[in-house]
Each structure stands twice: as C-alpha cells, then as structure tokens.
C-alpha cells in the first residue's frame, strides 16, 4: 500500500518521458475514454477470470487464449493470422524481432514461448491491442498498480545483486521475501489485466449484438 500511494496520481508526458520503455503509453495519454472497469474493480466484476488468469499455470493458458480472443475480436474470423510477437509493441532484442520469429509457421507455439519468456510484455501487448482499437486512455489507478509492480521487480534485482556481494543469511532472506512478494504481485496484476480485457470484449460484443435490435425497434 505504501508503494501504491507513493506514485504520482497523474500520468503525463513528463512522467513517461523519464523512461523509453513507457513510449507505448504516450499514444494513449490524450484519450479520454477508458476501460469499462479498472484493474482494481476486476476482481469483483470478473472474479472467475481474474482468479484463473492469476494462477501461474492457468495464467499461461489464459494469456494464449486471451490474445487469440482479442485478435479475433478486432478482426473476426482471423484466428492467429494477425499474430505477431508482442503484437509489435516492443522492438525485440538482438536477433529476435517481432515479425521475424516464425510467427507465420506456428503462431500458437510462438505465443506460448512469448507468454513463458516475457509474460509481462505479453499481457501488456494484449491490453494495448484493445486500447488502440477503441482509443482507450490510461486510468490513474491502473498506472499506479503497474508502477508498483515494476518497482517491486526492480527491488528484487537490487536485492539479488546485494546478496551476491554480501552473501549473508539476512540478505538471502530479504531477497527471498521480496521475490515471493513480487511474484504474487505480478500474478495478481496479470489476472486483473486479463479480466479487464475480457470484460471489455464481452461488453463490446454485447453492444454489437444489441445494436441491430435497437435499430429494428426504432423502425
């Protein structure tokens, strides 16, 4: 809670400009619309999806299923045709570049590897697809949760370095504790993100189905 409250309530270009990793968020700053539910509301609004997506092994399957669901929502009937590693939102590393990772050969396998090797980037990419599709902006509460998770991951890295240098029972205990807390936090964030995206898809699909009925009633 202390981490959560310490982050600034407003997300602007000055804040995002401090890190190049946040460049993907900048395009959404001017959008006034947001997801129908926030990540904090996801456990209450979509409890089953949130729990299943937050469990490690189930979360892997949820990531794969949700990416396909998002892609088919954006382009009905396309299946995995529009799949790309992290949907091209991240530039890749060394020889691994989006679009050149054999996505055309076996998209589900590539998606499985993506979800296993970089789950954070993977779930963020799935969320970005929906944000770009409907011009959704950044919720301040969601940004705080994401920042809190990133801060915990950074603390784990620092604790590991300190433990390698000092190598005492105290530093090892500190590292283990932080690692457990950060893992739990990440799984919760992943569950909330996927539940938020799933709720938005269901809401949009329901709106599409009800639109023709409303038009017929007006006639």
């Amino acid at each position: 809670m202390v981490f959560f409250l310490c982050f600034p309530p407003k997300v602007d270009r000055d804040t995002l400009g401090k890190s190049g990793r946040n460049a993907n968020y900048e395009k959404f700053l001017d959008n006034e619309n947001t997801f129908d539910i926030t990540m904090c509301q996801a456990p209450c609004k979509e409890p089953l999806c949130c729990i299943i997506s937050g469990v490690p092994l189930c979360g892997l399957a949820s990531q794969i299923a949700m990416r396909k669901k998002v892609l088919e929502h954006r382009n009905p009937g396309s299946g995995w045709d529009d799949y790309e590693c992290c949907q091209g939102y991240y530039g890749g590393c060394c020889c691994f570049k989006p679009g050149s990772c054999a996505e055309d050969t076996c998209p589900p396998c590539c998606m499985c590897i993506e979800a296993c090797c970089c789950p954070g980037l993977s779930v963020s990419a799935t969320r970005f697809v929906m944000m770009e599709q409907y011009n959704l902006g950044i919720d301040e509460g969601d940004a705080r949760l994401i920042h809190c998770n990133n801060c915990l991951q950074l603390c784990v890295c620092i604790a590991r370095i300190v433990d390698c240098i000092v190598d005492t029972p105290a530093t090892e205990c500190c590292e283990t504790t932080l690692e457990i807390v950060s893992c739990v936090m990440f799984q919760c964030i992943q569950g909330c993100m996927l539940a938020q995206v799933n709720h938005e898809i269901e809401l949009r699909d329901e709106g599409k189905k009800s639109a023709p009925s409303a038009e017929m009633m007006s006639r």
Side-chain angles (χ1 to χ4, degrees), residues 11 16 22 24-34 127 131 136-144 146:
V11 182
L16 294 179
N22 294 324
N24 285 316
Y25 286 96
E26 188 172 354
K27 68 178 73 172
F28 305 116
L29 283 177
D30 297 328
N31 297 342
E32 296 182 359
N33 296 325
T34 58
R127 190 166 177 262
M131 293 177 71
L136 302 178
I138 304 171
D139 179 78
E140 294 172 0
D142 291 356
R144 280 179 165 177
I146 295 170

Side-chain angles (χ1 to χ4, degrees), residues 76-219:
S78 61
W80 289 103
D81 292 345
D82 297 330
Y83 171 74
E84 190 177 359
C85 182
C86 291
Q87 295 309 122
Y89 288 105
Y90 300 96
C93 179
C94 299
C95 60
F96 296 99
K97 301 292 183 182
S100 60
C101 298
E103 292 100 324
D104 296 337
T105 305
C106 187
C109 293
C110 291
M111 179 61 210
C112 184
I113 295 173
E114 175 191 323
C116 288
C117 296
C118 45
L121 301 182
S122 180
V123 69
S124 294
T126 299
R127 190 166 177 262
F128 284 152
V129 173
M130 288 297 292
M131 293 177 71
E132 190 169 13
Q133 177 72 12
Y134 295 106
N135 297 319
L136 302 178
I138 304 171
D139 179 78
E140 294 172 0
D142 291 356
R144 280 179 165 177
L145 284 173
I146 295 170
H147 289 166
C148 180
N149 174 71
N150 293 343
C151 182
L152 282 172
Q153 302 298 330
L154 179 60
C155 288
V156 172
C157 292
I158 295 173
R160 285 175 179 170
I161 295 172
V162 172
D163 184 50
C164 288
I165 297 173
V166 181
D167 194 18
T168 64
T171 56
E172 184 179 354
C173 179
C174 180
E175 178 198 348
T176 303
T177 302
L178 281 173
E179 192 164 349
I180 293 173
V181 173
S182 66
C183 286
V184 172
M185 180 67 175
F186 175 79
Q187 293 302 142
C188 290
I189 293 292
Q190 174 178 284
C192 291
M193 271 192 179
L194 292 178
Q196 181 187 52
V197 170
N198 183 68
H199 179 86
E200 193 72 21
I201 291 175
E202 297 293 336
L203 184 70
R204 300 282 180 171
D205 286 343
E206 185 178 347
K208 290 178 181 178
K209 291 178 181 178
S210 61
S213 299
E215 184 178 351
M216 291 179 64
M217 290 178 65
S218 64
R219 290 180 181 177

Side-chain angles (χ1 to χ4, degrees), residues 33-44:
N33 296 325
T34 58
F35 282 95
D36 184 62
I37 61 173
T38 65
M39 286 167 58
C40 289
Q41 294 172 329
C44 295

